[in-house]
Amino acid sequence: MKVLIVGSGGREHAIAAAVAKSPKVDKIYCAPGNAGIGQIAECVNIGAMEFDKLVAFAKENAIDLTVVGMDDPLVGGIVDEFEKEGLRVFGPRKNAAILEGSKAFSKDLMKKYNIPTATYENFNSPEEAKEYLETSKYPIVLKADGLALGKGVLICNTKEEAMDGVNELMLDKKFGDAGNTIVIEEFMTGREVSVLSYVDGKTIKIMTSAQDHKRAKDGDQGLNTGGMGTFSPSPFYTEEVDEFCKKYIYQATVDAMASEGREFKGIIFFGLMLTEEGPKVLEYNARFGDPEAQVVLPRMKNDIVEVFEACIDGTLDQIDLQFEDNAAVCVVLASDGYPVAYEKGFEIKGLEQFEDKEGYYVFHAGTKLSDGKIVTNGGRVLGVTAKGADLKEARANAYEATKLIDFENKYMRNDIGKAIDEA
Ligand code: AMP
Ligand code: GLY
């Protein structure tokens, strides 16, 4: 089989590495890819939003399966474009990717189908939003409705902050049209857990759990980022939590989408908050998490191509999804200054030490080839993943492995997985 992967980050590298393990696959392409993906796939210089060019490429090269890693093309309807041409593609159609593409939609869906989530109201007008905020309880949470690179969420401690937040999102349009509508919701407290799942329209199969670290600095300080590290499984995702979510959240979401005429095929990422009242949905994503994929996929035992095909064909009920009984930790190596301003173009040294190092992975996020050398090319540069018999061992292995890699401006958090010690 020939497989095309759409995207260019650490998540797509993790997907490509999983696809490369499938005995069914002869050749992998990635558009646009990066230097690390280029070691296992042929990178194609087409952007993830260039649907016409991607479709033409898939036809010309007789691609058997296209896998879309990123949210933007999914929300923009890339799957519909591929299907129109009779091409096999893994991911939700536009009418289902709205589960991630519109927070107002997902909140209304949860309310209608009694799926536990924070109480909220949606607003199209800044005046009405401000009026609501006059009598709200604080802290409160403001969310841009549309995609905003995970940065469109404002936690406001006071009325003043919330009023400023409305101005930022709806009037200054900090995230463009994503802020035309906003969700204002109750502030919740508790542990956060990410749960990824495969969905074929009817059946849902849950993957192992994970936890992300969104802030730039140790102790969850600093600005929100795309994710500075992850661990899997989460020790807080207990059997009791799993049972609750299976009863009230997972299948309920898949059935709700089907009832709305928006059959969901692909990945549903459940961002959960474990509150005192039980687990509640913080958000849905319609794709693998980044860097959750970098700790979940290395632990998956199945042939991922078989699972993707079962989702497309509606036969996921026949797949026995299995994960290794171990743990994995991913530490992101970033460019100092991320997520604000940083320099790039520095040579990355030490990568060769990971070749064939069992249980260790370097997933490239922002890298490129320059004069035959691999150089830094983004805020998040690499994700170093290591497995271990348990979380503590995996964490020690991952941090030990970060020492093998060097580049100017190398920055990482030193407390990825600290929560493990509190479990
Ligand atoms: P989201 O993109 O919706 O997952 O939000 C990003 C982050 O903001 C989450 O991972 C939480 O840390 C935080 N957050 C979002 N919604 C809430 C909420 N209702 N209460 C508390 N924290 C929240
Ligand atoms: N790690 C969070 C996300 O992928 O949205």
Side-chain angles (χ1 to χ4, degrees), residues 393-411:
E393 192 181 297
R395 180 176 59 184
N397 290 345
Y399 272 108
E400 204 48 43
T402 62
K403 295 181 190 160
L404 300 176
I405 290 178
D406 200 29
F407 55 86
E408 220 172 290
N409 264 0
K410 172 177 148 186
Y411 172 80

Side-chain angles (χ1 to χ4, degrees), residues 277-412:
E277 296 161 32
K280 293 189 183 180
V281 178
L282 275 170
E283 64 159 349
Y284 293 115
N285 294 316
R287 35 112 193 138
F288 284 104
D290 188 344
E292 282 86 347
Q294 290 91 311
V295 285
V296 168
L297 291 181
R299 299 184 53 229
M300 190 170 113
K301 290 187 185 172
N302 303 66
D303 178 338
I304 199 167
V305 174
E306 274 180 14
V307 181
F308 287 153
E309 295 204 292
C311 290
I312 296 171
D313 296 335
T315 55
L316 190 60
D317 57 335
Q318 289 163 37
I319 297 277
D320 179 18
L321 197 62
Q322 290 199 0
F323 286 81
E324 292 169 1
D325 184 21
N326 57 11
V329 171
C330 174
V331 179
V332 169
L333 304 184
S335 301
D336 196 13
Y338 172 72
V340 183
Y342 48 84
E343 287 179 75
K344 50 191 192 182
F346 300 116
E347 185 181 355
I348 305 171
K349 297 190 182 130
L351 290 167
E352 70 290 345
Q353 296 172 80
F354 284 82
E355 280 163 24
D356 302 317
K357 194 169 158 73
E358 184 67 28
Y360 291 81
Y361 308 78
V362 185
F363 296 118
H364 291 227
T367 66
K368 71 169 185 187
L369 262 181
S370 171
D371 295 333
K373 291 177 183 149
I374 294 181
V375 301
T376 62
N377 190 40
R380 288 191 296 173
V381 177
L382 302 164
V384 174
T385 293
K387 291 189 202 173
D390 58 21
L391 284 162
K392 284 187 180 163
E393 192 181 297
R395 180 176 59 184
N397 290 345
Y399 272 108
E400 204 48 43
T402 62
K403 295 181 190 160
L404 300 176
I405 290 178
D406 200 29
F407 55 86
E408 220 172 290
N409 264 0
K410 172 177 148 186
Y411 172 80
M412 65 184 169

Side-chain angles (χ1 to χ4, degrees), residues 109-381:
L109 185 87
M110 288 186 266
K111 190 187 216 170
K112 181 168 172 187
Y113 293 92
N114 289 316
I115 298 167
T117 189
T119 54
Y120 74 102
E121 292 286 340
N122 296 334
F123 295 93
N124 300 313
S125 120
E127 291 76 28
E128 283 169 28
K130 286 181 178 176
E131 196 181 316
Y132 177 81
L133 289 169
E134 285 294 343
T135 53
S136 299
K137 267 208 314 197
Y138 291 85
I140 203 159
V141 184
L142 270 48
K143 298 186 177 186
D145 175 52
L147 296 181
L149 295 168
K151 294 175 186 129
V153 175
L154 307 178
I155 310 238
C156 304
N157 288 309
T158 62
K159 194 194 287 183
E160 291 65 39
E161 272 179 51
M163 297 290 180
D164 288 346
V166 171
N167 290 339
E168 212 175 282
L169 296 176
M170 302 189 88
L171 298 173
D172 306 342
K173 300 236 174 253
K174 190 166 175 201
F175 300 103
D177 288 342
N180 288 351
T181 298
I182 65 167
V183 176
I184 300 186
E185 74 176 22
E186 165 204 8
F187 175 77
M188 302 187 288
T189 52
R191 297 258 177 210
E192 285 185 44
V193 183
S194 303
V195 177
L196 308 180
S197 66
Y198 294 101
V199 182
D200 75 352
K202 325 179 277 289
T203 301
I204 178 165
K205 295 268 163 127
I206 301 304
M207 297 183 228
T208 181
S209 60
Q211 188 181 319
D212 190 7
H213 298 66
K214 288 202 166 90
R215 300 293 197 97
K217 302 214 162 106
D218 284 8
D220 289 328
Q221 301 295 308
L223 295 172
N224 260 326
T225 70
M228 294 300 293
T230 34
F231 58 84
S232 170
S234 163
F236 307 103
Y237 191 79
T238 58
E239 262 178 41
E240 192 189 351
V241 171
D242 185 57
E243 249 171 55
F244 181 96
C245 295
K246 283 186 172 139
K247 202 162 167 193
Y248 299 108
I249 296 177
Y250 302 145
Q251 189 69 48
T253 300
V254 175
D255 294 346
M257 289 298 280
S259 301
E260 294 292 309
R262 297 175 182 273
E263 180 187 61
F264 193 105
K265 291 187 176 201
I267 305 290
I268 300 184
F269 167 137
F270 297 85
L272 303 172
M273 176 85 87
L274 309 181
T275 75
E276 278 188 354
E277 296 161 32
K280 293 189 183 180
V281 178
L282 275 170
E283 64 159 349
Y284 293 115
N285 294 316
R287 35 112 193 138
F288 284 104
D290 188 344
E292 282 86 347
Q294 290 91 311
V295 285
V296 168
L297 291 181
R299 299 184 53 229
M300 190 170 113
K301 290 187 185 172
N302 303 66
D303 178 338
I304 199 167
V305 174
E306 274 180 14
V307 181
F308 287 153
E309 295 204 292
C311 290
I312 296 171
D313 296 335
T315 55
L316 190 60
D317 57 335
Q318 289 163 37
I319 297 277
D320 179 18
L321 197 62
Q322 290 199 0
F323 286 81
E324 292 169 1
D325 184 21
N326 57 11
V329 171
C330 174
V331 179
V332 169
L333 304 184
S335 301
D336 196 13
Y338 172 72
V340 183
Y342 48 84
E343 287 179 75
K344 50 191 192 182
F346 300 116
E347 185 181 355
I348 305 171
K349 297 190 182 130
L351 290 167
E352 70 290 345
Q353 296 172 80
F354 284 82
E355 280 163 24
D356 302 317
K357 194 169 158 73
E358 184 67 28
Y360 291 81
Y361 308 78
V362 185
F363 296 118
H364 291 227
T367 66
K368 71 169 185 187
L369 262 181
S370 171
D371 295 333
K373 291 177 183 149
I374 294 181
V375 301
T376 62
N377 190 40
R380 288 191 296 173
V381 177

Side-chain angles (χ1 to χ4, degrees), residues 42-102:
E42 185 176 328
C43 294
V44 185
N45 194 14
I46 305 177
M49 295 306 286
E50 296 182 287
F51 299 171
D52 290 348
K53 286 189 189 171
L54 290 169
V55 165
F57 178 86
K59 281 172 130 178
E60 277 159 26
N61 293 277
I63 299 295
D64 299 292
L65 172 67
T66 297
V67 179
V68 185
M70 297 168 71
D71 46 2
D72 283 303
L74 289 169
V75 170
I78 190 173
V79 167
D80 308 57
E81 296 304 312
F82 271 70
E83 284 184 345
K84 251 188 244 164
E85 299 294 327
L87 294 162
R88 265 165 93 71
V89 55
F90 175 78
R93 292 182 189 136
K94 186 174 185 172
N95 76 349
I98 191 175
L99 190 62
E100 169 164 9
S102 167

